[in-house]
């Protein structure tokens, strides 16, 4: 009986500590990656400003070939939307919609992951000479959800590598296309 009381007290103290520490954690999380692409912003922007264009280089597109994608709204700009459904935990289900589009400067999207939360992803383009730095940011609000606050501590490790891969793929796609265009004779 004494052991049960001790175990209950220890468990109760651990639960209180979990809650107190959780309340002290940040109520929002941000992840950011960037890359320099050897192309002007006008060549980069179309690859960010539409959900079909984003899907072509998205790091999540190749994870589960069985994922179902649905596209709606305009091809480019505000309202361009993608919904996806996958049995793979890495992909899951959700939607992404462009909510802000500033030509050759910025694209902002609203992400919804169902019961897993939501966030705002932003692409910001900065000219660097003849090249463009692309910054890909994700911001999420945890509010009073203690579990989300703990997950927020790991978010960079969870998606940071995917952001790096996606940006490398975007860079290769754009730079290879421009190199091919330079090699082809003008007609």
């Amino acid at each position: 009986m004494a052991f049960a009381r001790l175990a209950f007290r220890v468990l109760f103290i651990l639960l209180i500590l979990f809650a107190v520490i959780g309340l002290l954690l940040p109520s929002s999380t941000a992840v950011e990656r960037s890359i320099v692409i050897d192309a002007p912003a006008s060549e980069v922007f179309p690859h960010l400003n539409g959900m079909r264009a984003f899907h072509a280089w998205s790091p999540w597109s190749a994870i589960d070939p069985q994922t179902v994608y649905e596209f709606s709204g305009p091809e480019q700009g505000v309202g361009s939307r993608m919904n996806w459904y996958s049995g793979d935990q890495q992909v899951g289900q959700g939607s992404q919609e462009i909510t802000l589009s500033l030509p050759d400067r910025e694209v902002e999207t609203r992400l919804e992951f169902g019961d897993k939360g939501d966030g705002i992803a932003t692409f910001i383009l900065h000219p660097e000479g003849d090249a463009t730095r692309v910054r890909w940011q994700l911001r999420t609000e945890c509010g009073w959800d203690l579990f989300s606050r703990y997950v927020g501590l790991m978010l960079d490790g969870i998606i940071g590598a995917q952001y790096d891969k996606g940006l490398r793929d975007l860079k290769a796609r754009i730079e290879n296309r421009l190199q091919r265009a330079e090699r082809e004779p003008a007609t």
Side-chain angles (χ1 to χ4, degrees), residues 13-44:
I13 290 170
L14 289 175
L15 187 61
I16 296 295
L17 280 174
F18 176 82
V20 169
I21 291 170
L23 289 171
L24 296 175
L25 294 174
S27 64
S28 64
T29 305
V31 175
E32 180 176 324
R33 294 294 191 272
S34 71
I35 198 165
V36 175
I37 299 175
D38 292 325
S42 61
E43 292 289 333
V44 176

Side-chain angles (χ1 to χ4, degrees), residues 30-172:
V31 175
E32 180 176 324
R33 294 294 191 272
S34 71
I35 198 165
V36 175
I37 299 175
D38 292 325
S42 61
E43 292 289 333
V44 176
F45 186 73
H47 296 269
L48 310 173
N49 193 41
M51 287 297 98
R52 287 183 190 275
F54 169 77
H55 177 66
W57 61 268
S58 167
W60 291 278
S61 296
I63 293 175
D64 177 13
Q66 302 302 315
T67 302
V68 175
Y69 294 94
E70 297 172 354
F71 299 93
S72 60
E75 192 71 25
Q76 294 271 307
V78 174
S80 180
R81 182 179 177 89
M82 172 176 66
N83 295 318
W84 66 90
Y85 311 91
S86 170
D88 188 304
Q89 292 279 7
Q90 277 188 286
V91 180
Q93 66 181 24
S95 67
Q96 184 171 7
E97 181 175 352
I98 295 178
T99 56
L100 174 71
S101 176
L102 302 174
D104 301 341
R105 292 189 0 219
E106 184 175 343
V107 174
E108 184 176 277
T109 65
R110 182 180 67 241
L111 290 156
E112 296 175 351
F113 301 106
D115 61 348
K116 293 184 181 178
D118 55 7
I120 301 292
T122 308
F123 296 101
I124 301 169
L125 286 74
H126 298 280
E128 292 189 3
D130 292 337
T132 303
R133 176 172 297 279
V134 177
R135 292 174 42 211
W136 189 2
Q137 303 172 333
L138 173 68
R139 297 181 317 276
T140 62
E141 292 295 327
C142 306
W144 292 101
D145 183 344
L146 299 182
F147 181 75
S148 291
R149 289 182 180 207
Y150 279 100
V151 171
L153 293 175
M154 301 177 285
L155 193 59
D156 190 82
I158 294 169
I159 67 165
Q162 295 294 337
Y163 270 35
D164 286 332
K165 179 187 182 315
L167 288 171
R168 285 191 309 270
D169 290 349
L170 174 65
K171 176 182 174 75

